[in-house]
Amino acid sequence: MPKIKTNRAAAKRFKKTGTGKLKRNKAYKSHILTKKTTKRKRNLRKSAIIDASNEKNMKKVLPYL
């Protein structure tokens, strides 16, 4: 069997947790922050776990993570 290439764009955006789930950062935190509330910006700092419906595809894209 040949090696599978890792999608490098995805590898930079996702990390694996201890239990094997994938962790991601939230979007909408890069610009146009003046109209967003402090509370909303603070909550965007926290990481999130990838949704179960995307898990299968992400494992295919990141075979060695």
Side-chain angles (χ1 to χ4, degrees), residues 11-57:
K12 291 166 189 172
R13 287 167 172 80
F14 301 100
K15 296 276 176 272
K16 202 169 195 179
T17 62
T19 56
K21 292 178 183 175
L22 292 174
K23 193 168 73 166
R24 65 172 177 85
N25 286 324
K26 291 181 182 173
Y28 309 111
K29 186 64 174 70
S30 54
H31 59 94
I32 315 173
L33 299 172
T34 49
K35 63 176 82 169
K36 293 170 188 155
T37 63
T38 313
K39 181 183 178 180
R40 185 172 163 196
K41 288 186 280 192
R42 184 170 59 245
N43 286 330
L44 287 171
R45 274 186 229 144
K46 299 169 186 169
S47 57
I49 300 293
I50 247 180
D51 196 61
S53 58
N54 298 321
E55 191 113 24
K56 189 180 175 187
N57 289 333

